[in-house]
Amino acid sequence: MTVAMSTPLTYSQIVEVFTRFRNDCAEPKGELDHVNAFTLVVAVALSAQATDKGVNRATQELFRIADTPQKMLDLGEEGVTEHIRTIGLYRNKAKNVIKLSRILVEDFGGEVPSSRAALESLPGVGRKTANVVLNMWFKHPAQAVDTHIFRVGNRTGLAMGKDVVAVERAIEDRVPAQFQQHAHHWLILHGRYTCKARKPDCAHCLINDICTFEDKIYDQTL
């Protein structure tokens, strides 16, 4: 994952950036549908190389009938497969959903653990997924860095790093405490809808006067 780096923003600039994000959307939400911690884990695991909308379509019925690890085990791998067939890598993901459900039942009493290490011990759950669950369900200010955040962090000068872990640490180190809980959601939404990879919408960007990206695009007809 590579992206051109800009000049790092100052503390006061970072405060202004997140103040604008907060004023625009005080309580940003994740876009994956879920009803509890377990369905959130499954949804985030399924979202790898898939869109949130696609995952939501696939899990709408799945989560209605299997919203606990035991119910997912009762449904079985083939049952899970049928529900998520429209998602990329669905066969491998179905296997992981069953495996992680079994581990949750056997090792965690059917409950989703609240530590990063325990979450990462589950099949199909990496650091990003663990951080999403910690942040969204357990309200821990973990920073789940995906391609959007990696791009926005480096492009704007907010949180720069050569890999996702470096950007994660940069957010933790540089973003003031009062913005930490919602930081990754603001950055994901900004990257998804405004600071897009190929054609950033700089003309409608809340922070275009602060961002240090040199190749800003204002003419959207290009």
Side-chain angles (χ1 to χ4, degrees):
M1 196 182 303
T2 59
V3 66
M5 291 190 178
S6 302
T7 302
L9 300 185
T10 65
Y11 177 84
S12 61
Q13 288 176 317
I14 294 173
V15 169
E16 178 61 23
V17 165
F18 282 99
T19 297
R20 293 183 189 183
F21 285 156
R22 183 174 61 188
N23 289 342
D24 182 64
C25 180
E27 296 288 335
K29 304 294 183 184
E31 297 183 325
L32 284 171
D33 294 338
H34 60 283
V35 296
N36 53 30
F38 171 67
T39 54
L40 177 59
V41 171
V42 172
V44 180
L46 293 178
S47 70
Q49 300 184 44
T51 65
D52 288 358
K53 290 182 179 179
V55 172
N56 289 341
R57 284 194 298 268
T59 58
Q60 183 176 13
E61 179 65 15
L62 175 64
F63 291 163
R64 190 184 69 79
I65 62 176
D67 60 354
T68 69
Q70 187 58 59
K71 289 179 182 178
M72 197 68 75
L73 286 176
D74 293 342
L75 183 61
E77 185 177 322
E78 286 305 313
V80 174
T81 299
E82 286 304 310
H83 283 283
I84 67 170
R85 190 176 293 276
T86 56
I87 300 175
L89 306 175
Y90 67 92
R91 291 193 182 280
N92 188 58
K93 289 178 179 179
K95 291 179 181 179
N96 283 336
V97 167
I98 292 299
K99 288 179 182 178
L100 72 83
S101 297
R102 182 170 291 110
I103 291 173
L104 288 175
V105 169
E106 295 178 353
D107 297 345
F108 296 99
E111 300 293 328
V112 173
S114 60
S115 80
R116 183 182 290 113
L119 285 165
E120 287 191 70
S121 72
L122 301 173
V125 176
R127 186 179 183 89
K128 185 189 78 172
T129 298
N131 281 344
V132 170
V133 175
L134 289 173
N135 182 284
M136 290 181 62
W137 192 258
F138 295 106
K139 307 305 178 185
H140 178 74
Q143 306 302 329
V145 177
D146 66 354
T147 55
H148 295 301
I149 294 181
F150 183 81
R151 178 177 67 255
V152 171
N154 280 297
R155 181 184 276 172
T156 63
L158 271 170
M160 300 165 68
K162 293 184 178 180
D163 55 47
V164 293
V165 174
V167 171
E168 178 186 326
R169 289 174 178 165
I171 296 172
E172 293 173 345
D173 291 345
R174 290 170 55 77
V175 175
Q178 65 266 33
F179 303 114
Q180 285 280 335
Q181 182 62 50
H182 295 308
H184 97 273
H185 275 131
W186 281 318
L187 294 174
I188 286 174
L189 294 173
H190 189 65
R192 185 172 289 167
Y193 298 111
T194 302
C195 195
K196 294 171 283 191
R198 294 185 179 180
K199 198 173 183 181
D201 189 6
C202 300
H204 299 96
C205 175
L206 287 173
I207 61 170
N208 59 15
D209 59 321
I210 301 174
C211 167
T212 58
F213 182 48
E214 294 183 354
D215 300 322
K216 293 178 182 179
I217 299 175
Y218 291 100
D219 185 355
Q220 292 300 297
T221 64
L222 294 177

